[in-house]
Amino acid sequence: MNLKIATTVTMVGAVWLSGCSFMSPTDSTAPVATAILKPTANNTATGTITFTQVENKVHIEGNIAGLSPGPHGFHIHEKGDCSAADGASAGGHFNPTNKAHGANSGTERHAGDLGNLVADSDGKAVVKIEIDGVTTTPGEANSIVGRGLIVHADADDFKTQPTGNSGKRVACGAIDAAVKS
C-alpha cells in the first residue's frame, strides 16, 4: 500500500514540475522586438534595445554607449529607415493617435515619446522604461515593429511641439520583430 501512495505522489510531483517548466520566464511567448542603434554621421552612439510586450504594456530595456554625458531625448519614430546620414529618413515621432508631444508618463503624448535617457560620465546609458499605447505585435495600427528608434543629442523638454526640442539625431535603429526559432 505504501508503495502505491509513493508512486502516486511521485507521479503528481512530476506532472507539477513539468507544469512549472512551462511557466518559466525563459520560455516566454510574449512578442519581442529589437533595435540595434547605430551612430548617425559624426557621432559614436551605439546600443541594443529590446521591446517586450507584457499584457497591455511594452517593457523597453537595453544599453547605449558613446553618448555625451547627461540627458538625451529618446523616441520611436514613424519609419524604420536609418539610411539618411542624419537619421532624418526615420521621419517624425510615431503618433498614430494624433496627440501633442509630451512626457512618456503623461496621457497627452505621442505613442513614441519615451522621455529622456541619461548617460553617465563615461557616455553610457541603461534603458529601463515601461510604456502603454503601443504593441510589439506586427500589423497593428499602434505596432512599433518597423518603426525607428532615435536617440537625440539634447534633453527632451516635453513641451516644445512636435519634437521636445531634443536636437539632432545621434543614433538610429530599426525596430524589428524577433525571429522565433
Side-chain angles (χ1 to χ4, degrees), residues 59-162:
H59 294 249
I60 305 167
E61 296 185 46
N63 296 289
I64 303 171
L67 296 167
S68 60
H72 296 268
F74 191 50
H75 307 110
I76 297 170
H77 283 244
E78 299 168 314
K79 302 172 195 161
D81 179 359
C82 296
S83 62
D86 65 355
S89 53
H93 293 184
F94 179 50
N95 189 16
T97 56
N98 294 317
K99 292 192 175 188
H101 176 71
N104 64 327
S105 58
T107 55
E108 188 64 27
R109 65 173 180 85
H110 299 153
D113 290 341
L114 302 179
N116 288 312
L117 53 88
V118 180
D120 65 17
S121 60
D122 293 325
K124 296 178 182 176
V126 175
V127 177
K128 196 164 192 153
I129 303 169
E130 181 179 88
I131 61 169
D132 58 11
V134 297
T135 184
T136 58
T137 303
E140 298 291 324
N142 62 340
S143 178
I144 60 172
V145 174
R147 309 289 174 194
L149 184 64
I150 298 287
V151 179
H152 292 272
D154 303 319
D156 187 328
D157 67 13
F158 306 124
K159 57 186 176 189
T160 303
Q161 300 301 321

Side-chain angles (χ1 to χ4, degrees), residues 2-17:
N2 282 347
L3 181 60
K4 189 174 188 179
I5 293 171
T7 303
T8 303
V9 169
T10 302
M11 287 174 51
V12 169
V15 169
W16 181 79
L17 284 173

